[in-house]
Amino acid sequence: MKELWTLFLAFARIGAFTFGGGYAMLPMLQREVVQNRKWATEEEVLDYFAIGQCTPGVIFVNTATFIGYRRKGLPGAICATAGSVFPSLVIITLIAALLQNFAHLQVVQDAFGGIRVVVGVLILQAVAGMWKKSVVDKLGILLAAAAFAVATFTELSPVWMVLVGGAAGICIQALAERKKGGR
């Protein structure tokens, strides 16, 4: 029971103190789950994050669900998921109640402008961290460039991009093994 409560609190803290969505939460998620709690490796968190990206729902919530399930099965998944959404539910309810009365104020609009800039930086930080762990060779750079081009210039679903990336990884590794075995 204690670990279930710990899962709830850990994901509630991440959800309460990070803003900007799933990508902005990645640095705090990695710090809490990998470094502080040692519930998963960096590679596992990136894998969960990638799967969370291509499954329905919010990336952070999906990732919390995977990690909770890995730790304590279905009860862990429920507690981690509940913890991840609890702060947002409370905060959004309060904002919805108050924002309607204050959204027109210049100071509120200015605050949101500043928040957007900071969230952009947090997302860039998360992308840089993922880049360092994921793009490790020339083929990775080529695959990243192709994915960026497809994401930028087409309306292809990210699910297809992730599936193609997974298939490319399998094919590239199979070719490398075949080449190694042929020597």
Side-chain angles (χ1 to χ4, degrees), residues 137 139-140 143 167-177:
D137 56 14
L139 286 172
L143 187 58
I170 291 169
C171 292
I172 290 167
Q173 187 62 35
L175 289 172
E177 291 295 322

Side-chain angles (χ1 to χ4, degrees), residues 14-26:
I14 295 168
F17 293 108
T18 55
F19 297 90
Y23 295 112
M25 291 178 171
L26 187 57

Side-chain angles (χ1 to χ4, degrees), residues 46-60 62-63 66:
L46 289 175
D47 290 345
Y48 295 148
F49 211 71
I51 293 167
Q53 169 89 29
C54 63
T55 53
V58 179
I59 298 168
F60 172 61
N62 293 347
T63 304
F66 285 127

Side-chain angles (χ1 to χ4, degrees), residues 112-124:
F112 279 125
I115 289 169
R116 282 191 296 272
V117 171
V118 171
V119 167
V121 170
L122 293 173
I123 291 170
L124 284 175

